[in-house]
Each structure stands twice: as C-alpha cells, then as structure tokens.
Amino acid sequence: MRNVSALMSMTCLAILPGCDDGPSVGAEELNQRLAQLEEKAKQNMVFIEGGTFTMGDFGAVGEDGVWRPFFPPTAERNKAHTVTLSSYSISNQKTTWEDFDTYLIANDGDVIERVFNEEWKREPFQNVGSSPFYLRNPAQVTWKEANDYCYWLGQRIQLPLALPTSAQWEFAARNRGSTEWIFSTHDGKPLHVHHDLYEQVGEGPEYVPVGSRLPPNPLGIYDMADNGKEWVSDWFSDTWYRDNPEITDPTGPADGTEKVVRNLDFSFSRIGMPESVPTIHSEDRFLVTQFTFRCALQSSTEGTQVE
C-alpha cells in the first residue's frame, strides 16, 4: 500500500489504457464512487455525547452481597477502571469492501486477496453475494490498512477521522457505557435470549452485508456484536488500565507489539493481535491478521460530521 502522503496521486489509477494488470474502472465511475463514499462517511457518523463510565469488567453484586466480575478468567486483564471521554462521533456501520476497494483504486493500490502470507489479485466491487469480497460485506484488512484508510478518508472530507480508541468503541457498544449492556447487542442481553436472532447468527455465514442481520443499538450503531471482530487504535497491554485506574480520553500504551481487537463475547472483552502470527506449517508460512473496522470522528463538536 502506498504511503498516505501520496494518497492523492492520480498516476495510472488503473483507469487508463495501458495500466498493467489493473482493475478496469473508468475515471467517471471512480469519481462517482469517491463522491458516494465521502457523502456516506459523513452521513453515517453518529454523535456520541461524552461522559464518565466504568470501562472493563464492571461485574455485579450477587444476592449474597458480594461483587464478582462477569468473566473471571480475564478479570485482571479487563479490570474495571474509571474513564471519562470527550464527545466524539463513530460510524454506524463497518467499512465495506466497496468502500475499501474505492480507496485502493483511488490510490493505485493492489486489489488483492490473501491466503496466509501469499497474495493474489482479485476483481474489485464484486457483486455476487456468495463472494468473500462481496461489496456490501465488511472489509477484513490489517490494522495498518484500516488505520491508513481512516486517515485518507479524513483527508478527503477534511475531518479528523481515525480508528476509534478502545474506550470509544466500548462506550458506544455499551450505549454510552451503561452497566445494563453486558453484551454489545441491541439491548445488552446475550443473543440466545432472542431465538430468531440467535439462529440467524449461528446458522448464517460469518460475514453478511453491514447492518443487515441484527438490530442497531439505541445509538443507531450496527454490528457491534456481530459480523466480525474489529480493530481499534490502541496498543494492547495486560496491565496498562490496571496501572491507570482513572483516566480521561485514554489512547492506551505508547507502544507495543499487538493492537487491540474488539467485538468479542462480552461488551468489555478485548484481545491483542499482532500484524501476523506464526502457523504450524513452517517458519516462512505465517498468517496475516485481518479484521473488520469502522472509523471515528475525533471531534467533540456535534454536527461537524455533516459540514
């Protein structure tokens, strides 16, 4: 992927005769897709009024009067802590393959699929629902690709877009940090209490068109409990929040070896994932880590997302 500083370059955009092996997308079509993407990016932003909440495994007091975490195996890693967030906005949908393919072609990027660490070229904007790259399904990319995409899109619409922080993601997934939201579903309850929804997720494909399977949460945000795990901006640490029990607008550790991934079993659950992981096949055959993502608007002013 080209450096983001060159993202506005229009050299060979895979739209002119003679561009080697590039996808066939005309200049007019590309401009239309860019305009649609920019408008959608602004319209899909949901303003989240800031506040203070208990991030992490906030647990509950049982009938015996004793407080216990909801998930003891990760209670220390997800130790409850007080976080205050400024207002921000977050996309109500994950980034789709259509969005990401538009970004790639606009910047002369390689439109590829990956199997382990090997890559093959593929056609963009695939319109067959059974395709793993169906244009309305969420894009699964590396953390750097997700981060670069949000930065580029922010430059296009002249707004400070970035991946959400882990705290921002959790605050939105829990309906502004509500302790009623043990799970990041539309009502905070596990899916199995909704038989029809549970069957749809359990018996359906892993990825479906964004916003198509489960209801949004009360903030109007889709797919925070379904349709793929999500990258956020923070470096992962087992101890950082334990060492910072009360903090404002946290962005996580200054560095690390893994990035935080959200959208797991509980609304507060998180793991760390590196850019690639080893496999049992050989030292030279590793797995490139790819997950879904959405962008956030790092502005505390309501309404800037639609200027």
Side-chain angles (χ1 to χ4, degrees):
M1 196 106 17
R2 300 281 177 90
N3 187 286
V4 291
S5 64
L7 288 177
M8 300 304 295
S9 170
M10 297 298 287
T11 58
C12 189
L13 293 179
I15 59 177
L16 300 176
C19 286
D20 293 338
D21 300 320
S24 178
V25 176
E28 183 177 355
E29 178 186 348
L30 177 59
N31 287 334
Q32 289 175 347
R33 289 186 179 279
L34 284 168
Q36 291 168 359
L37 174 58
E38 292 164 15
E39 182 63 21
K40 184 175 79 167
K42 292 183 284 188
Q43 293 299 327
N44 283 1
M45 284 292 159
V46 175
F47 182 74
I48 310 292
E49 185 178 352
T52 298
F53 75 115
T54 302
M55 185 178 173
D57 191 343
F58 49 92
V61 177
E63 294 181 358
D64 57 2
V66 177
W67 180 92
R68 294 180 179 87
F70 287 113
F71 194 56
T74 62
E76 280 303 304
R77 183 177 73 196
N78 295 322
K79 190 176 181 64
H81 47 279
T82 301
V83 167
T84 299
L85 288 178
S86 302
S87 298
Y88 62 101
S89 298
I90 192 168
S91 178
N92 67 357
Q93 294 184 354
K94 299 174 188 280
T95 302
T96 66
W97 278 121
E98 183 174 24
D99 302 333
F100 197 75
D101 286 355
T102 299
Y103 156 71
L104 289 174
I105 293 172
N107 297 290
D108 197 18
D110 294 326
V111 182
I112 60 169
E113 62 177 297
R114 295 186 180 99
V115 177
F116 294 101
N117 57 323
E118 299 177 19
E119 299 178 353
W120 292 269
K121 290 189 177 182
R122 61 172 174 83
E123 285 296 314
F125 310 124
Q126 295 184 20
N127 203 22
V128 177
S130 59
S131 168
F133 300 98
Y134 178 50
L135 76 173
R136 307 212 181 280
N137 284 2
Q140 301 113 58
V141 300
T142 66
W143 181 89
K144 185 178 186 305
E145 288 169 339
N147 187 63
D148 286 353
Y149 171 91
C150 290
Y151 177 83
W152 166 81
L153 186 55
Q155 295 290 333
R156 293 283 312 188
I157 62 176
Q158 299 182 3
L159 291 171
L161 292 189
L163 288 172
T165 66
S166 188
Q168 288 174 336
W169 191 96
E170 184 172 327
F171 192 63
R174 286 176 43 201
N175 191 26
R176 296 192 66 252
S178 169
T179 54
E180 300 296 319
W181 256 254
I182 302 172
F183 300 87
S184 51
T185 54
H186 63 289
D187 60 0
K189 298 179 174 59
L191 279 182
H192 66 73
V193 305
H194 305 283
H195 183 70
D196 292 345
L197 295 177
Y198 186 66
E199 282 192 340
Q200 286 182 49
V201 174
E203 298 178 4
E206 182 177 4
Y207 299 105
V208 296
V210 295
S212 68
R213 186 151 57 189
L214 298 182
N217 72 7
L219 300 174
I221 305 172
Y222 290 88
D223 294 346
M224 301 203 87
D226 181 35
N227 223 3
K229 300 176 179 64
E230 296 188 31
W231 292 116
V232 293
S233 64
D234 306 38
W235 289 107
F236 176 80
S237 169
D238 276 325
T239 61
W240 192 81
Y241 277 114
R242 192 167 59 216
D243 296 338
N244 295 273
E246 188 168 349
I247 193 165
T248 298
D249 292 329
T251 57
D255 53 33
T257 59
E258 300 177 333
K259 287 293 186 176
V260 173
V261 176
R262 304 303 303 256
N263 191 4
L264 307 171
D265 291 336
F266 293 92
S267 62
F268 50 78
S269 296
R270 63 191 178 95
I271 57 173
M273 290 296 295
E275 185 81 2
S276 61
V277 294
T279 69
I280 61 174
H281 298 277
S282 72
E283 292 183 359
D284 297 325
R285 191 165 171 79
F286 54 87
L287 181 67
V288 178
T289 312
Q290 300 178 106
F291 294 111
T292 70
F293 72 101
R294 69 184 77 220
C295 303
L297 175 55
Q298 304 299 332
S299 171
S300 61
T301 304
E302 183 174 8
T304 57
Q305 69 271 18
V306 295
E307 287 182 351

